[in-house]
Amino acid sequence: MMTPRSFFSRVARRLAERRRRARFAAALEHIHGADFHVPRDAVLAIVLVRDGSYYMDAFFDYYRAMGVTHFAFFDNGSTDDTLARIRAEPNTVIDRAVLPLAQYEDLMRGYPAQTYGADRWCLYVDMDEQFDFEGRARIGIDGLVGYLRARGDTALVAQMLEMFPVTPLRAADDLDFEQALAAFDHYDISTVERRPYHAPEIPFAALLRDNTIPDARIDFCFGGVRGRVFGETCCLTKHPLIFNGPGVTPAPHPHLSQGVVCSDMTAVIRHYKFAGGGLARDIASSGTADLDHGEDAARARVAARDPDVTLYSAAARRWAGIAPLQQAGFLVPSAGYNAYLASREGGA
């Protein structure tokens, strides 16, 4: 039975949500891509960006080589030449809202999917991420989507792999992003904490309730090397690739979508958070209201104590592709997907 207090609390939450959405709508600007259209057989990359010029060339090179042709950017207040550089690229669209990320990230990520990606495959990626999967160079994103579609899947789970150099982080601050991609060639999964996909102790477990997984080995991962060095409890698991069809809610949380059927294998996201002076950016942003999880502040405290902080240790491993991550249990392989790859090669 609903009490008066719970009734009024529910009404207050609804009114607050209505005000939040109204503020988002008032701040929303469409600034590029009046004729933007995504073909039904194309994958739409959705990118939340602010001051992403540092990553731009390598970002487009990587994802276009994978077969991604259409890009929807949502800008959160860039002050460098990010917007001009995106405008110069074909098949791009830019929307913009300068609002606190912590309060509006779900709306910023959801808007491009609902506006341009309805009944389309959508790939959520950040500028400092490289989404990768077994057979990428051979079959590309279209081949991967073909496998998911044939199974009736509407999402692919991926685990984030923090990449770092063997040097202290600040020693790599002056590298451009292409140089950083080469220098940040190590990872460390020795302290990753795993939780079953539907574990009730996951903070956002309620958002996962209606999702399905075909394999109990598909977990949510937390912590990792950033947990070891900075004490973070960051989530490492995402649903980067989804089909935004009926019953699916795209990106109500930065790491997941709702109402999805996950595939039987997992991919990886190489994350280059600390390239281009990432730790210095954390120190600068730790006093702002943009983020509410305190992770920037945690990294800033460690950097203040140890300016030569490094993520490298004896547990680090050099990047050598997908197979070692599957053998270590970090990624989940699939016999069905391996057979699919073999059939694609046989038909080539």
Side-chain angles (χ1 to χ4, degrees), residues 57-68:
D57 291 339
F59 176 87
F60 276 113
D61 287 349
Y62 183 81
Y63 286 103
R64 290 197 190 280
M66 186 187 293
V68 179

Side-chain angles (χ1 to χ4, degrees), residues 25-335:
L28 184 64
E29 302 175 81
H30 179 76
I31 59 178
H32 168 67
D35 300 322
F36 186 75
H37 172 73
V38 182
R40 281 202 170 270
D41 60 350
V43 174
L44 173 65
I46 297 176
V47 192
L48 182 59
V49 63
R50 180 167 60 186
D51 292 340
S53 183
Y54 171 79
Y55 310 96
M56 196 70 64
D57 291 339
F59 176 87
F60 276 113
D61 287 349
Y62 183 81
Y63 286 103
R64 290 197 190 280
M66 186 187 293
V68 179
T69 57
H70 290 71
F71 298 81
F73 288 87
F74 199 101
D75 184 72
N76 187 223
S78 292
T79 58
D80 61 7
D81 63 347
T82 290
L83 303 184
R85 296 186 66 181
I86 294 172
R87 287 190 182 101
E89 294 282 343
N91 296 325
T92 57
V93 66
I94 309 172
D95 294 287
R96 176 182 175 99
V98 185
L99 292 168
L101 188 63
Q103 286 77 48
Y104 293 90
E105 186 170 1
D106 61 325
L107 300 181
M108 294 177 186
R109 292 190 184 275
Y111 180 83
Q114 303 294 35
T115 305
Y116 313 110
D119 295 317
R120 306 290 194 276
W121 285 93
C122 299
L123 177 64
Y124 279 96
V125 289
D126 291 338
M127 298 293 290
D128 61 356
E129 295 177 348
Q130 289 194 339
F131 171 72
D132 201 1
F133 52 93
E134 191 175 3
R136 171 182 54 83
R138 302 195 298 277
I139 66 171
I141 193 73
D142 291 338
L144 175 62
V145 163
Y147 176 75
L148 303 180
R149 185 186 292 118
R151 283 178 41 86
D153 299 328
T154 56
L156 180 67
V157 173
Q159 306 293 359
M160 292 185 65
L161 195 68
E162 196 66 53
M163 306 301 295
F164 51 83
V166 298
T167 63
L169 292 175
R170 71 172 182 173
D173 282 355
D174 294 332
L175 300 179
D176 64 36
F177 193 45
E178 287 283 4
Q179 293 170 326
L181 290 173
F184 284 54
D185 61 350
H186 281 74
Y187 63 88
D188 177 358
I189 57 174
S190 63
T191 56
V192 169
E193 298 179 11
R194 309 181 72 97
R195 299 285 184 273
Y197 188 95
H198 289 295
E201 65 267 24
I202 292 176
F204 41 82
L207 297 176
L208 299 169
R209 187 177 298 128
D210 294 331
N211 294 353
T212 61
I213 55 169
D215 192 322
R217 294 177 298 168
I218 297 176
D219 291 330
F220 259 79
C221 296
F222 296 86
V225 67
R226 283 165 55 185
R228 177 178 65 80
V229 176
F230 300 111
E232 298 181 61
T233 56
C234 51
C235 179
L236 306 178
T237 306
K238 287 188 173 185
H239 299 138
L241 182 61
I242 65 163
F243 183 75
N244 184 27
V248 172
T249 302
H253 182 281
H255 286 258
L256 62 93
S257 291
Q258 286 181 279
V260 296
V261 177
C262 298
S263 193
D264 63 341
M265 46 85 77
T266 60
V268 68
I269 300 170
R270 290 189 298 274
H271 190 208
Y272 297 89
K273 179 175 182 59
F274 298 102
L279 203 53
R281 289 193 299 272
D282 290 340
I283 294 171
S285 66
S286 62
T288 72
D290 266 356
L291 300 173
D292 61 0
H293 46 55
E295 292 176 356
D296 287 5
R299 292 189 292 271
R301 286 193 295 271
V302 172
R305 292 197 305 267
D306 180 9
D308 288 323
V309 62
T310 179
L311 274 62
Y312 183 81
S313 73
R317 297 292 179 266
R318 186 185 296 273
W319 170 260
I322 301 292
L325 296 171
Q326 293 176 336
Q327 293 162 7
F330 185 66
L331 299 184
V332 175
S334 159

